[in-house]
Amino acid sequence: MTHPAPTAPASPAPPPEAVGPLMRGLSVLRQLAAGAGRRPVGDLVRTTGLARSTVDRVLSTLARLGYVRIEGRDAVPAPRLLELGNAYLAASELPDRLGPLADRLADELDESVSLAVPDGDGVRFVHQATRRRAMSLAFRIGDLLPAERGAPGALFADAWTAADWRRWRSRRAADPTDAGFPAVPPRSADDDTAGAAAGFEARVAAARTAGWSLDDQLIEPGLVAVAVPVRDAAGRTVCALSVVSHTSRLSAAELPDAVLPRLRETVAAMTDALAAPRGGPPAPASDTPPGHPPHATWMRASKQELGPEFVESLARGLLTLTAFGTGRAELPLSAVAEATGLARATARRALITLAHLGYLTTDGKLFRLTPKVLELGFAHLSGLTLPAIAQPHLAALVERVHDSASMAVLSGDEIQYVARVPTVRIMSVNITLGTRFPAYPTSMGRVLLAGLPPAERSGRLARTALTRLTRHTVTDPERLGAILEQVRADGYALVDEELEEGLRSLAVPVHDRTGRVVSAVNVSTHAGRCTPEEARATILPALRDAATAIEADLRVAGRYARIAAL
Ligand code: PHB
């Protein structure tokens, strides 16, 4: 038995109704999230203190939910896990209502702008409009700062009770390097500038008087920020709006004058935006993407299939988090039970457990998600790029078809490879990440060109020199235009030996959540191996499944984060 440091905040004992498997599952998820990606299962066993068999059952349940992938001895958080954080962000409405105003401010100032909310004695980012240049670290949605390091914390701490201050002091004493905040560089134990107690209290008082708060390199040298509180119509501080710069552009002394007038205007517009009635159609019960398992039948089938390796009470508990969403910020037990299809008693115990762990608050009647939900992998996963999201799906595709699979994006008149899972090499050139080919004689290029608005597509074709690369290359612009039209209608492109003799390639588009074609995935094979019809019959369905799976991940991941194309 290990003894906590004498100053460590004691965690209260769980209430008698608490669901043990849900608590254990969340402790595995938290450890997995803390690792920022892949974690050996053995590590999770060690850091959670749980039995190996327990961790295995938790992981197979999470894998079934699509929240993790098991790769050999490792567990890897998967993009679908973002649906938990999405539920909080949607319910809070902060990114949806205020994000566009923050983005506009970032454009106008050409500096990074962020929105952050209080989370215990920390500050958690809920929106980032990043214009970060080199030289300073950039935070992601879901990242947590200690309140005393950064501008927003001094605004939030104004509302702290004596008990909150006590908790803050004991956390500082128990964690002198800020190890509990992996998003920030470690604080050196004797570092006074990074918010020694008196300094922070003074900054809180100064921020109260001034109505704004300054971060003069509290996180790292060079990084400076100003934050102002965003209040709702009732005058409650709901979040902080920050402008972040670097001392190479603006000193901490110059920053307030440079940005406060525009910050204040934006904050006034934000207060209005918070009060505006919500437009649009009624929100769905959750932001769960289509294709997600319907709850009750899916639970039963999973249990039947996996037996003890499917922990129903964990799956049900996590499911209750997704009952929340846009227009569903505060729910009574009955609404959670209805949205999830769970029995009231089951939903109640899950909610009590989640409230005990700090993922929900309740007045006894209504439940509300807290930003702590974002600690479940959101920061890491929301930073994934499109190729990183695609990679496991390409690997699964290659398993199925036994030919190389790739992803490419359009770059000028060329395609550029951004992900690739090779089998045997069948091309004369070795394709690696970054390899470029002209778009017009390649399957991925045709899918990408076909996805462009018609005017842009024909403009590009008119600009491109169409060179004969093999006996089969189509170089007649009119014929190529007709082929692209057909590709658009069919939803795939098959190209036979137009880039290189002997090479056949099939590609389909990948759409983002707005329906835009953002990339293409392909499978390339020997033209001699089968007829084009056979390739269509065998490869195309697998390719489409891969694209559909990537699109499903993109829908969840792109709800609040901007997914980089490479
Ligand atoms: C940020 O958004 O990256 C940020 C905000 C406030 C700070 C520092 C950084 O004090």
Side-chain angles (χ1 to χ4, degrees), residues 113-114 125 128 132 137-139 145 149-152 215 219 223 225 242 244:
V113 169
S114 64
F125 291 106
Q128 280 285 353
R132 201 68 48 93
L137 77 161
F139 295 107
L145 300 181
R149 290 181 73 183
D215 167 1
I219 296 165
L223 187 65
S242 304
V244 191

Side-chain angles (χ1 to χ4, degrees), residues 63-435:
R64 180 73 171 193
L65 283 161
Y67 290 170
V68 305
R69 287 194 313 275
I70 308 299
E71 294 181 357
R73 293 164 186 274
D74 294 344
V76 187
R80 175 150 282 160
L81 181 54
L82 288 166
E83 76 183 11
L84 302 182
N86 284 350
Y88 160 74
L89 291 171
S92 83
E93 298 192 17
L94 293 175
D96 289 320
R97 285 178 181 257
L98 310 186
L101 293 164
D103 294 347
R104 204 172 74 199
L105 182 63
D107 285 340
E108 286 172 10
L109 298 174
D110 196 27
E111 298 283 3
S112 294
V113 169
S114 64
L115 290 167
V117 296
D119 183 357
D121 69 355
V123 167
R124 209 177 280 278
F125 291 106
V126 296
H127 184 79
Q128 280 285 353
T130 307
R131 295 283 173 292
R132 201 68 48 93
R133 289 95 173 164
M135 292 195 298
S136 59
L137 77 161
F139 295 107
R140 302 158 300 188
I141 301 170
D143 273 331
L144 185 71
L145 300 181
E148 70 279 14
R149 290 181 73 183
L155 301 169
F156 299 147
D158 191 31
W160 284 3
T161 62
D164 292 329
W165 280 104
R166 267 198 303 282
R167 236 189 320 272
W168 175 75
R169 272 193 203 88
S170 44
R171 186 263 291 162
R172 293 263 308 171
D175 180 10
T177 61
D178 293 339
F181 300 86
V184 296
R187 150 171 71 106
S188 60
D190 58 342
D191 186 354
D192 249 26
T193 59
F200 185 45
E201 278 161 287
R203 283 195 292 114
V204 173
R208 180 187 314 132
T209 313
W212 53 272
S213 155
L214 181 68
D215 167 1
D216 184 0
Q217 310 176 72
L218 296 163
I219 296 165
E220 64 168 12
L223 187 65
V224 287
V226 170
V228 290
V230 179
R231 298 201 168 87
D232 63 14
R236 279 183 302 252
T237 297
V238 292
C239 63
L241 175 68
S242 304
V243 173
V244 191
S245 189
H246 193 272
T247 48
S248 60
R249 291 189 299 284
L250 288 167
S251 71
E254 294 163 330
L255 183 63
D257 284 345
V259 302
L260 271 173
R262 283 298 295 121
L263 256 177
R264 292 213 168 96
E265 278 169 39
T266 304
V267 156
M270 286 183 167
T271 299
D272 292 345
L274 287 172
R278 189 157 15 84
S286 85
D287 299 288
T288 303
H292 198 67
H295 305 143
T297 32
W298 179 85
M299 288 278 175
R300 224 172 301 120
S302 302
K303 190 68 198 167
Q304 244 155 38
E305 214 173 294
L306 298 178
E309 297 306 302
F310 184 74
V311 186
E312 273 173 295
S313 52
L314 169 57
R316 287 179 176 141
L318 294 175
L319 192 59
T320 57
L321 295 171
T322 63
F324 298 82
T326 310
R328 302 173 59 83
E330 283 191 322
L331 299 179
L333 167 62
S334 56
V336 173
E338 196 188 329
T340 55
L342 297 177
R344 270 177 75 97
T346 308
R348 180 172 165 274
R349 290 188 60 198
L351 290 170
I352 288 173
T353 309
L354 292 163
H356 165 69
L357 296 173
Y359 297 112
L360 290 167
T361 54
T362 180
D363 58 4
K365 283 209 163 56
L366 293 174
F367 294 85
R368 173 183 272 278
L369 294 182
T370 70
K372 194 171 189 231
V373 173
L374 295 173
E375 88 178 0
L376 302 172
F378 201 91
H380 162 69
L381 289 166
S382 71
L384 289 183
T385 60
L386 179 56
I389 288 172
Q391 192 72 24
H393 300 296
L394 294 181
L397 174 59
V398 169
E399 283 275 290
R400 211 170 135 184
V401 301
H402 309 293
D403 274 311
S404 306
S406 304
M407 171 178 269
V409 296
L410 206 52
S411 167
D413 293 334
E414 296 177 318
I415 59 165
Q416 183 181 356
Y417 282 74
V418 295
R420 179 159 172 84
V421 177
T423 53
V424 287
R425 192 171 133 190
I426 53 170
M427 289 202 71
S428 58
V429 293
N430 187 17
I431 298 174
T432 58
L433 297 189
T435 293

